Structure formats: C-alpha cells, structure tokens
Amino acid sequence: MPNAEAYKVRREPFYQPQGDEAELYAAAYAARLPVMLKGPTGCGKSRFVEYMAWKLGKPLISVACNEDMTAADLVGRFLLDADGTRWQDGPLTLAARVGAICYLDEIVEARQDTLVVIHPLTDHRRTLPLDKKGELVEAHPDFQLVISYNPGYQSLMKDLKQSTKQRFTAFDFDYPAAKLETAIIARETGLAEATAAKLVKVGQAGRNLKGHGLDEGISTRLLVYAATLIKRGVDAGDACRMALVRPITEDGDVRSTLEHAIDLAFA
Ligand SMILES: Nc1ncnc2c1ncn2[C@@H]1O[C@H](COP(=O)(O)OP(=O)(O)OP(=O)(O)O)[C@@H](O)[C@H]1O
Ligand SMILES: [Mg+2]
C-alpha cells in the first residue's frame, strides 16, 4: 500500500484569499463533493488547491491533463518486467486508494473517453472500476476530486459535456483586485509594494486588451515573473518586456499599446 504521507503538502503555501473560497471549499470537502475551479491561466487555482490540501492536512496528487492522455494514464496499466506482468496504479487510482485530493489540471484537454473514467468516482458510488485488472476500487473516505477548467480556451469541440460538468460544485476564479494583487506580488517576490503596484497597472492595461487583440489578459503569474526580475536588479522596462509583452503576443499594435502602458507606469 503506498504511503499517503508522501503526498502531504509539507509547508504552508502562501495563498491570499480573494473572498470566502477557503471556507466554501472546506464545506465541499467535508461533504466530499467534487470541485471544479474555473478561471484564466495564472490566477491562483493550483496555489489554492495546494493551500487547501495543506490546511485540511490531506495528501495532494496533481495530474496535468493533455490530449494524448488515455484512461490508462489516469487509472493504471499492466507493465512487463522480469517476472512477467505487474499492475501499476495510475495517479487517479492511487489517490482513490490513499485518500488524497486528486487535482486534474486543464481537464478539457483530455479526451471525452478518458474523462468518463472519473464519473463513478464523482457520484454516490465513489468507486473506480479497473476493467483490465478486474478490480473495483472503493474510494478512501478522504478522497476528493478537483478539476481545473479554463472557460476562455473553450471551443465547442473542447467543452466538457454537461454530464461531466454536472458532477461538480464550482468556483469562479479571476485575477485578484489591484490591492490584493499588489500584496500578492510583494509577498511572493519581496518587491516593494509601490513597484508591485506599477506592475499591476501594466497588468490591467493588458487585461483591457482581452478580446481586442489578446485572447487572455496578463496573468498574476507573469506579473510575479516581472517582479522577480526587477527584484534581481533587471531594469523595469526590460523585465516587463521579457515577462509581460513578448510571451503573450506577436501583434505589433498590441505590443506598442503595452509598451506605452509600461512607459506610463514606470515614468
Ligand atoms: N491568491 C493568490 N495567493 C498567492 N499567490 C497567488 C495568488 N494568485 C496568484 N498567485 C501567484 O500566481 C502564480 C500562478 O498561480 P497558479 O499557478 O495557482 O495559477 P493557475 O490558476 O493554476 O494557472 P494555470 O491555469 O495556468 O494552471 C502563483 O505561483 C503565485 O505566485
Ligand atoms: Mg495551475
């Protein structure tokens, strides 16, 4: 039996709440209801799950989903070794056995036939059938499923089915309000709040371009990158171009709008 302790979050992660999401999540966990975290990239979803796992003292097993992922990647498979075949649990099975919070990141990326394996775990059954092995795993009482989902990337081809969506409670995440985001950046990097506030201004200028040349605004993650560079002595303009402009767009007009916002903020 694998050791649940190995998956515990060791140190308290820094997480700045935006509202009462920690209390609401705790209520969902107490009832073992599955949770969906919706929101744009880099706004704190993964950090929140780490924080909640730490707060609740439960192990956390995270899986980054992608379109090549098969059900076996989640559930497990037989492996060949010197003594013949040996079953190896996938991360979902492992989490169900040890009683971990299982965090499936970017769930829409996974194919529909991969996704249905989570269904029996998310309703009253709380079971996971291992068809190939002929075993029905009953989820440990502490097991909980959490998925993340970025509605921005969603296309008709790549949306979750209602039968999947309607197995979850959900939280809407978004970039924090300016004051909170400034505090997060300062706390994460040690940068002075006054400088962090200037980065937040640039971030907001970028977010205003969403739908006007940008698919997604500048994330809190990228603002933390820029702050990290500035804290290390990189010129603010260079740091902003490296972290806030070049990664997100090639569009000349959008880039010059962002350049202008950087000049204004750091004038
Ligand atoms: N509320 C917050 N408290 C503390 N740090 C935060 C918060 N929100 C964002 N951050 C910072 O932003 C970074 C990115 O957050 P995180 O990795 O949780 O994003 P995400 O929403 O999971 O993004 P993705 O969808 O791309 O996985 C974190 O590493 C952290 O530095
Ligand atoms: Mg994440």
Side-chain angles (χ1 to χ4, degrees), residues 2-267:
N3 181 4
E5 284 301 312
Y7 299 95
K8 288 262 172 80
V9 180
R10 301 259 167 265
R11 279 200 341 208
E12 177 175 358
F14 163 60
Y15 177 73
Q16 170 63 56
Q18 294 197 39
D20 52 4
E21 68 270 30
E23 292 75 20
L24 293 174
Y25 182 102
Y29 182 79
R32 300 300 185 269
L33 293 175
V35 165
M36 172 176 353
L37 306 179
K38 306 172 85 165
T41 183
C43 71
K45 300 182 296 295
S46 296
R47 182 65 67 90
F48 175 62
V49 179
E50 275 169 49
Y51 172 73
M52 290 311 302
W54 175 83
K55 204 173 159 68
L56 298 167
K58 302 299 172 195
L60 175 64
I61 295 179
S62 299
V63 185
C65 300
N66 64 70
E67 56 194 3
D68 297 325
M69 202 171 71
T70 63
D73 292 325
L74 279 180
V75 164
R77 52 168 57 87
F78 282 107
L79 299 177
L80 275 175
D81 64 16
D83 314 317
T85 56
R86 176 172 60 84
W87 174 263
Q88 174 150 46
D89 281 341
L92 184 63
T93 311
L94 181 65
R97 286 196 207 277
V98 303
I101 294 172
C102 187
Y103 181 47
L104 303 180
D105 210 346
E106 285 294 333
I107 190 81
V108 262
E109 294 297 330
R111 297 191 328 227
Q112 296 289 356
D113 55 320
T114 308
L115 275 183
V116 293
V117 307
I118 69 177
H119 284 191
L121 274 175
T122 51
D123 51 39
H124 63 281
R125 291 171 282 179
R126 286 180 59 90
T127 54
L128 178 62
L130 308 179
D131 293 334
K132 294 224 170 77
K133 192 168 178 254
E135 181 186 348
L136 186 68
V137 178
E138 303 239 2
H140 184 290
D142 287 352
F143 170 80
Q144 186 202 25
L145 191 67
V146 181
I147 64 176
S148 81
Y149 170 64
N150 184 340
Y153 297 150
Q154 137 193 355
S155 67
L156 273 180
M157 291 295 292
K158 254 202 182 163
D159 195 9
L160 295 177
K161 287 195 297 195
Q162 281 293 335
S163 62
T164 304
K165 287 183 179 174
Q166 297 204 16
R167 292 183 138 76
F168 290 87
T169 62
F171 290 85
D172 282 331
F173 274 70
D174 207 343
Y175 308 118
K179 264 185 104 170
L180 276 188
E181 194 167 40
T182 303
I184 290 169
I185 294 166
R187 167 72 199 264
E188 280 280 280
T189 64
L191 191 70
E193 292 234 355
T195 317
K198 294 178 182 174
L199 288 172
V200 169
K201 285 223 170 84
V202 179
Q204 284 174 334
R207 287 165 199 169
N208 289 336
L209 293 171
K210 185 173 171 187
H212 306 279
L214 282 184
D215 295 334
E216 192 96 331
I218 294 173
S219 64
T220 307
R221 175 185 298 121
L222 286 181
L223 296 179
V224 168
Y225 284 2
T228 303
L229 290 168
I230 296 172
K231 181 74 186 165
R232 292 185 149 263
V234 175
D235 167 76
D238 289 336
C240 288
R241 279 183 286 275
M242 273 170 80
L244 308 181
V245 181
R246 289 186 204 122
I248 61 171
T249 183
E250 281 75 50
D251 184 298
D253 289 340
V254 175
R255 282 191 171 194
S256 55
T257 306
L258 290 174
E259 289 284 349
H260 184 63
I262 294 165
D263 289 344
L264 268 182
F266 288 93

